[in-house]
């Protein structure tokens, strides 16, 4: 069953806009999950992403299980590492960092995840992950030891994303990096969305409703927000 992906695909085709909140177990305490989800209930948030660049593998299971008690929204793993996997979630963005040239994040981590995934019922969503310069060195860049593509290299970004689609990826994630100074430009989102037939996810540095709507208008099916919600939980209410 590919329930989570099917919904994203239908959203692309129907024009429905999806919003994921990214929760990093390193930054959010389990004890704060219930109060956070009471705010999320009345917001436009449609998905919960869980992951981070340096998350301790032992806390993932409990973290996701507590989220599950507090929401019916789909929980999607967005792991920085093959150890950040748990059956408690609904789906996994099976990421390959196709903008980089580090085999560790192109295929090595994915091979290591197989031991867990082969006996798992997690929905696996093959995702081409494209790191784009957000105006600062981000955690993804440091951990993956790869360089982001400059925002000016729109053609390279588009061809990289399209190569991802040709490789069979079901989603393309345009990532400016957590806490980016500049989110992915609408010019890039438009160019990529027009070229691709699969849904485009955009994240990194999006802090306002206006930025989110601009990303949707440019063609993003889903926007991911982490830092803005982490820094100020009341922001969630302005996204309702
Ligand atoms: C990071 O794209 C996500 O991987 C979200 O970024 O934390 O900047 O919202 P922010």
């Amino acid at each position: 069953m590919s329930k989570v992906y099917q919904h994203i695909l239908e959203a692309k085709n129907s024009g429905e806009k999806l919003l994921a909140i990214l929760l990093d177990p390193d930054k959010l305490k389990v004890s704060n999950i219930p109060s956070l989800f009471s705010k999320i209930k009345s917001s436009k948030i449609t998905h919960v992403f869980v992951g981070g660049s340096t998350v301790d593998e032992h806390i993932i299971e409990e973290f996701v299980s507590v989220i599950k008690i507090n929401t019916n929204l789909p929980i999607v793993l967005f792991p920085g590492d093959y150890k950040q996997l748990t059956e408690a979630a609904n789906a996994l963005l099976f990421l390959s960092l196709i903008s980089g040239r580090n085999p560790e994040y192109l295929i090595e981590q994915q091979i290591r995840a197989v031991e867990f995934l082969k006996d798992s019922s997690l929905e696996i969503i093959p995702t081409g992950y494209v790191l784009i310069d957000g105006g600062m060195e981000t955690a993804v860049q440091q951990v993956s030891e790869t360089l982001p593509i400059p925002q000016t290299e729109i053609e390279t970004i588009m061809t990289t994303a399209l190569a991802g689609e040709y490789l069979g990826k079901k989603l393309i994630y345009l990532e400016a990096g957590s806490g980016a100074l500049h989110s992915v430009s609408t010019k890039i989102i438009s160019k990529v969305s027009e070229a691709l037939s699969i849904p485009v996810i955009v994240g990194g540095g999006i802090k306002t409703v206006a930025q989110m709507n601009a990303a949707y208008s440019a063609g993003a099916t889903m926007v991911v927000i982490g830092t803005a919600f982490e820094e100020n939980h009341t922001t969630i209410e302005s996204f309702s």
Side-chain angles (χ1 to χ4, degrees):
M1 272 269 280
S2 58
K3 252 177 91 181
V4 174
Y5 182 66
Q6 205 53 42
H7 178 199
I8 300 173
L9 195 59
E10 281 165 16
K12 174 183 162 59
N13 296 331
S14 69
E16 182 194 352
K17 304 305 179 196
L18 305 176
L19 174 61
I21 182 170
L22 173 61
L23 302 179
D24 184 339
D26 270 348
K27 295 180 184 156
L28 176 69
K29 281 193 198 140
V30 168
S31 57
N32 289 334
I33 290 176
S35 65
L36 176 67
F37 276 87
S38 64
K39 284 178 191 155
I40 288 176
K41 233 177 243 165
S42 49
S43 77
K44 281 196 163 65
I45 292 168
T46 56
H47 291 75
V48 180
F49 279 15
V50 175
S53 296
T54 56
V55 178
D56 178 346
E57 59 185 289
H58 304 293
I59 57 176
I60 280 278
E61 179 100 27
E62 189 200 1
F63 192 82
V64 174
S65 302
V66 175
I67 293 174
K68 217 170 168 179
I69 297 168
N70 285 279
T71 186
N72 290 322
L73 294 175
I75 305 169
V76 180
L77 299 176
F78 175 56
D81 184 281
Y82 76 99
K83 289 180 187 152
Q84 294 175 26
L85 298 173
T86 168
E87 204 65 48
N90 301 98
L92 160 71
L93 292 191
F94 199 48
L95 302 167
S96 181
L97 182 57
I98 57 175
S99 56
R101 298 296 178 266
N102 183 353
E104 181 67 24
Y105 291 92
L106 276 167
I107 184 64
E108 200 55 52
Q109 287 277 327
Q110 295 78 350
I111 293 171
R112 282 185 228 163
V114 169
E115 184 59 29
F116 177 90
L117 294 176
K118 67 180 171 44
D119 302 318
S120 152
S121 56
L122 269 180
E123 180 185 335
I124 300 169
I125 308 175
T127 304
Y129 193 47
V130 181
L131 184 59
I132 296 166
D133 186 24
M136 59 181 273
E137 196 183 36
T138 57
V140 194
Q141 191 180 334
Q142 285 165 359
V143 172
S144 70
E145 296 176 347
T146 68
L147 288 174
I149 307 177
Q151 298 234 6
T152 46
E153 292 183 22
I154 299 182
E155 199 66 21
T156 308
I157 295 169
M158 186 274 285
T159 50
T160 302
L162 199 49
E165 177 171 334
Y166 293 161
L167 277 166
K169 307 300 179 203
K170 297 279 197 323
L171 294 173
I172 290 295
Y173 192 131
L174 300 178
E175 169 73 275
S178 186
L181 296 176
H182 315 295
S183 54
V184 178
S185 74
T186 51
K187 220 169 156 183
I188 294 170
I189 301 169
S190 303
K191 182 90 177 173
V192 171
S193 305
E194 279 163 21
L196 266 55
S197 62
I198 54 175
V200 172
I201 299 183
V202 179
I206 296 175
K207 292 194 162 62
T208 64
V209 174
Q211 282 177 302
M212 175 184 75
N213 287 334
Y216 290 145
S217 303
T221 296
M222 180 186 275
V223 165
V224 182
I225 299 179
T227 308
F229 292 152
E230 266 161 27
E231 284 173 354
N232 182 2
H233 285 178
T234 57
T235 315
I236 292 175
E237 283 142 18
S238 65
F239 283 74
S240 58

